[in-house]
Short mmCIF file of all heavy atoms in Angstrom, two decimals:
data_model
loop_
_atom_site.label_atom_id
_atom_site.label_comp_id
_atom_site.label_asym_id
_atom_site.label_seq_id
_atom_site.Cartn_x
_atom_site.Cartn_y
_atom_site.Cartn_z
N SER M 79 -15.37 15.40 10.71
CA SER M 79 -13.93 15.20 10.79
C SER M 79 -13.36 15.61 12.15
O SER M 79 -13.90 16.48 12.86
CB SER M 79 -13.23 15.99 9.68
OG SER M 79 -13.47 17.37 9.84
N ARG M 80 -12.26 14.93 12.49
CA ARG M 80 -11.57 15.17 13.75
C ARG M 80 -10.11 15.47 13.46
O ARG M 80 -9.59 15.11 12.40
CB ARG M 80 -11.64 13.93 14.65
CG ARG M 80 -13.05 13.45 14.93
CD ARG M 80 -13.03 12.08 15.56
NE ARG M 80 -14.37 11.56 15.78
CZ ARG M 80 -14.64 10.29 16.12
NH1 ARG M 80 -13.65 9.45 16.29
NH2 ARG M 80 -15.88 9.90 16.29
N ALA M 81 -9.43 16.08 14.40
CA ALA M 81 -8.01 16.39 14.22
C ALA M 81 -7.20 15.14 13.89
O ALA M 81 -6.27 15.17 13.08
CB ALA M 81 -7.46 17.06 15.48
N ALA M 82 -7.59 14.02 14.48
CA ALA M 82 -6.87 12.76 14.26
C ALA M 82 -7.02 12.23 12.84
O ALA M 82 -6.31 11.30 12.45
CB ALA M 82 -7.35 11.70 15.25
N ASP M 83 -7.95 12.80 12.08
CA ASP M 83 -8.11 12.36 10.68
C ASP M 83 -7.06 12.99 9.77
O ASP M 83 -6.96 12.62 8.60
CB ASP M 83 -9.51 12.76 10.16
CG ASP M 83 -10.63 12.03 10.88
OD1 ASP M 83 -10.41 10.88 11.31
OD2 ASP M 83 -11.72 12.62 11.02
N THR M 84 -6.28 13.93 10.30
CA THR M 84 -5.21 14.53 9.50
C THR M 84 -4.22 13.45 9.07
O THR M 84 -3.63 12.78 9.91
CB THR M 84 -4.48 15.62 10.32
OG1 THR M 84 -5.38 16.70 10.56
CG2 THR M 84 -3.25 16.13 9.58
N ALA M 85 -4.08 13.27 7.77
CA ALA M 85 -3.26 12.20 7.22
C ALA M 85 -3.30 12.29 5.70
O ALA M 85 -4.00 13.13 5.14
CB ALA M 85 -3.79 10.83 7.67
N SER M 86 -2.56 11.41 5.05
CA SER M 86 -2.70 11.25 3.60
C SER M 86 -3.60 10.06 3.33
O SER M 86 -3.52 9.05 4.04
CB SER M 86 -1.34 11.02 2.95
OG SER M 86 -0.56 12.19 2.97
N TYR M 87 -4.44 10.19 2.34
CA TYR M 87 -5.39 9.13 2.00
C TYR M 87 -5.12 8.68 0.57
O TYR M 87 -5.02 9.50 -0.35
CB TYR M 87 -6.83 9.63 2.16
CG TYR M 87 -7.19 9.87 3.61
CD1 TYR M 87 -6.82 11.05 4.25
CD2 TYR M 87 -7.85 8.90 4.35
CE1 TYR M 87 -7.10 11.25 5.58
CE2 TYR M 87 -8.15 9.10 5.69
CZ TYR M 87 -7.76 10.28 6.30
OH TYR M 87 -8.05 10.49 7.63
N PHE M 88 -4.99 7.38 0.41
CA PHE M 88 -4.67 6.81 -0.90
C PHE M 88 -5.77 5.87 -1.35
O PHE M 88 -6.29 5.08 -0.55
CB PHE M 88 -3.38 5.98 -0.82
CG PHE M 88 -2.16 6.76 -0.45
CD1 PHE M 88 -1.79 6.92 0.86
CD2 PHE M 88 -1.37 7.33 -1.44
CE1 PHE M 88 -0.66 7.64 1.21
CE2 PHE M 88 -0.23 8.06 -1.10
CZ PHE M 88 0.12 8.21 0.23
N CYS M 89 -6.11 5.97 -2.63
CA CYS M 89 -6.92 4.90 -3.18
C CYS M 89 -5.97 3.92 -3.85
O CYS M 89 -4.89 4.28 -4.31
CB CYS M 89 -7.97 5.43 -4.16
SG CYS M 89 -7.35 5.95 -5.77
N ALA M 90 -6.37 2.68 -3.88
CA ALA M 90 -5.55 1.62 -4.44
C ALA M 90 -6.46 0.66 -5.18
O ALA M 90 -7.48 0.24 -4.65
CB ALA M 90 -4.79 0.90 -3.33
N THR M 91 -6.10 0.35 -6.40
CA THR M 91 -6.95 -0.50 -7.22
C THR M 91 -6.29 -1.83 -7.51
O THR M 91 -5.06 -1.95 -7.58
CB THR M 91 -7.27 0.19 -8.56
OG1 THR M 91 -6.04 0.53 -9.22
CG2 THR M 91 -8.09 1.44 -8.35
N LEU M 92 -7.14 -2.83 -7.66
CA LEU M 92 -6.68 -4.14 -8.09
C LEU M 92 -7.31 -4.38 -9.45
O LEU M 92 -8.53 -4.48 -9.56
CB LEU M 92 -7.12 -5.21 -7.11
CG LEU M 92 -6.70 -6.61 -7.54
CD1 LEU M 92 -5.23 -6.82 -7.33
CD2 LEU M 92 -7.50 -7.67 -6.79
N THR M 93 -6.47 -4.47 -10.46
CA THR M 93 -6.95 -4.69 -11.82
C THR M 93 -7.29 -6.16 -12.01
O THR M 93 -6.61 -7.04 -11.46
CB THR M 93 -5.88 -4.25 -12.83
OG1 THR M 93 -5.60 -2.86 -12.63
CG2 THR M 93 -6.33 -4.48 -14.26
N ARG M 94 -8.33 -6.41 -12.77
CA ARG M 94 -8.71 -7.80 -13.06
C ARG M 94 -7.54 -8.59 -13.65
O ARG M 94 -6.85 -8.12 -14.54
CB ARG M 94 -9.88 -7.83 -14.05
CG ARG M 94 -11.16 -7.34 -13.48
CD ARG M 94 -12.33 -7.58 -14.43
NE ARG M 94 -13.53 -6.94 -13.92
CZ ARG M 94 -14.28 -7.43 -12.95
NH1 ARG M 94 -13.95 -8.57 -12.39
NH2 ARG M 94 -15.36 -6.80 -12.54
N GLY M 95 -7.31 -9.75 -13.10
CA GLY M 95 -6.23 -10.61 -13.60
C GLY M 95 -4.90 -10.35 -12.92
O GLY M 95 -3.95 -11.11 -13.11
N ASP M 96 -4.82 -9.28 -12.15
CA ASP M 96 -3.59 -8.95 -11.45
C ASP M 96 -3.67 -9.37 -9.99
O ASP M 96 -4.76 -9.64 -9.48
CB ASP M 96 -3.34 -7.44 -11.49
CG ASP M 96 -2.42 -7.05 -12.62
OD1 ASP M 96 -1.91 -7.97 -13.30
OD2 ASP M 96 -2.21 -5.85 -12.84
N ASP M 97 -2.54 -9.39 -9.35
CA ASP M 97 -2.53 -9.67 -7.91
C ASP M 97 -1.87 -8.54 -7.15
O ASP M 97 -1.67 -8.63 -5.94
CB ASP M 97 -1.81 -10.99 -7.64
CG ASP M 97 -1.98 -11.45 -6.20
OD1 ASP M 97 -3.05 -11.19 -5.62
OD2 ASP M 97 -1.03 -12.03 -5.63
N LYS M 98 -1.50 -7.47 -7.83
CA LYS M 98 -0.83 -6.38 -7.15
C LYS M 98 -1.76 -5.18 -7.05
O LYS M 98 -2.61 -4.95 -7.91
CB LYS M 98 0.44 -5.97 -7.89
CG LYS M 98 0.21 -5.49 -9.31
CD LYS M 98 1.52 -5.14 -9.97
CE LYS M 98 1.31 -4.63 -11.39
NZ LYS M 98 0.89 -5.70 -12.30
N ILE M 99 -1.59 -4.42 -5.98
CA ILE M 99 -2.38 -3.22 -5.76
C ILE M 99 -1.63 -2.04 -6.36
O ILE M 99 -0.42 -1.91 -6.18
CB ILE M 99 -2.60 -2.99 -4.26
CG1 ILE M 99 -3.46 -4.13 -3.69
CG2 ILE M 99 -3.27 -1.66 -4.01
CD1 ILE M 99 -3.60 -4.05 -2.19
N ILE M 100 -2.33 -1.18 -7.08
CA ILE M 100 -1.74 0.03 -7.63
C ILE M 100 -2.26 1.22 -6.83
O ILE M 100 -3.48 1.44 -6.77
CB ILE M 100 -2.09 0.21 -9.11
CG1 ILE M 100 -1.69 -1.02 -9.92
CG2 ILE M 100 -1.43 1.48 -9.66
CD1 ILE M 100 -0.21 -1.27 -9.98
N PHE M 101 -1.35 1.95 -6.24
CA PHE M 101 -1.72 3.08 -5.41
C PHE M 101 -1.72 4.37 -6.21
O PHE M 101 -0.92 4.56 -7.13
CB PHE M 101 -0.73 3.23 -4.25
CG PHE M 101 -0.91 2.23 -3.15
CD1 PHE M 101 -0.39 0.95 -3.27
CD2 PHE M 101 -1.60 2.57 -2.00
CE1 PHE M 101 -0.56 0.02 -2.26
CE2 PHE M 101 -1.77 1.65 -0.98
CZ PHE M 101 -1.25 0.37 -1.11
N GLY M 102 -2.57 5.30 -5.80
CA GLY M 102 -2.52 6.65 -6.32
C GLY M 102 -1.54 7.49 -5.53
O GLY M 102 -0.89 7.00 -4.60
N LYS M 103 -1.45 8.76 -5.90
CA LYS M 103 -0.49 9.65 -5.23
C LYS M 103 -1.01 10.19 -3.92
O LYS M 103 -0.25 10.72 -3.12
CB LYS M 103 -0.14 10.81 -6.16
CG LYS M 103 0.65 10.40 -7.39
CD LYS M 103 1.02 11.59 -8.24
CE LYS M 103 1.81 11.15 -9.46
NZ LYS M 103 2.17 12.29 -10.34
N GLY M 104 -2.29 10.08 -3.69
CA GLY M 104 -2.83 10.45 -2.39
C GLY M 104 -3.36 11.86 -2.28
O GLY M 104 -3.01 12.74 -3.07
N THR M 105 -4.24 12.03 -1.32
CA THR M 105 -4.74 13.35 -0.94
C THR M 105 -4.27 13.63 0.47
O THR M 105 -4.47 12.80 1.37
CB THR M 105 -6.29 13.40 -0.96
OG1 THR M 105 -6.75 13.29 -2.30
CG2 THR M 105 -6.80 14.70 -0.35
N ARG M 106 -3.62 14.78 0.66
CA ARG M 106 -3.19 15.17 2.01
C ARG M 106 -4.33 15.95 2.66
O ARG M 106 -4.68 17.04 2.21
CB ARG M 106 -1.93 16.02 1.95
CG ARG M 106 -0.70 15.27 1.47
CD ARG M 106 0.57 16.13 1.60
NE ARG M 106 0.41 17.45 1.03
CZ ARG M 106 0.51 17.72 -0.27
NH1 ARG M 106 0.75 16.75 -1.14
NH2 ARG M 106 0.36 18.95 -0.71
N LEU M 107 -4.88 15.36 3.70
CA LEU M 107 -6.01 15.99 4.41
C LEU M 107 -5.50 16.62 5.70
O LEU M 107 -4.81 15.96 6.49
CB LEU M 107 -7.08 14.94 4.72
CG LEU M 107 -8.26 15.43 5.56
CD1 LEU M 107 -9.07 16.47 4.79
CD2 LEU M 107 -9.15 14.26 5.96
N HIS M 108 -5.86 17.88 5.89
CA HIS M 108 -5.46 18.59 7.11
C HIS M 108 -6.73 19.11 7.78
O HIS M 108 -7.48 19.88 7.17
CB HIS M 108 -4.51 19.74 6.78
CG HIS M 108 -3.97 20.43 7.99
ND1 HIS M 108 -3.42 19.75 9.06
CD2 HIS M 108 -3.91 21.74 8.32
CE1 HIS M 108 -3.04 20.62 9.98
NE2 HIS M 108 -3.32 21.83 9.56
N ILE M 109 -6.95 18.68 9.01
CA ILE M 109 -8.12 19.13 9.76
C ILE M 109 -7.70 20.26 10.67
O ILE M 109 -6.83 20.09 11.54
CB ILE M 109 -8.73 17.98 10.58
CG1 ILE M 109 -8.99 16.75 9.70
CG2 ILE M 109 -10.00 18.45 11.28
CD1 ILE M 109 -9.95 16.99 8.56
N LEU M 110 -8.32 21.40 10.47
CA LEU M 110 -7.99 22.59 11.25
C LEU M 110 -8.81 22.64 12.54
O LEU M 110 -10.01 22.35 12.51
CB LEU M 110 -8.26 23.84 10.41
CG LEU M 110 -7.52 23.90 9.07
CD1 LEU M 110 -8.09 25.00 8.19
CD2 LEU M 110 -6.03 24.10 9.31
#
Side-chain angles (χ1 to χ4, degrees):
Chain M
S79 62
R80 304 168 183 169
D83 295 329
T84 293
S86 289
Y87 291 82
F88 298 90
C89 74
T91 56
L92 178 74
T93 300
R94 290 189 188 282
D96 264 355
D97 190 33
K98 60 181 181 289
I99 295 174
I100 305 295
F101 284 81
K103 292 182 180 179
T105 292
R106 292 187 311 280
L107 175 65
H108 185 49
I109 308 300
L110 303 167

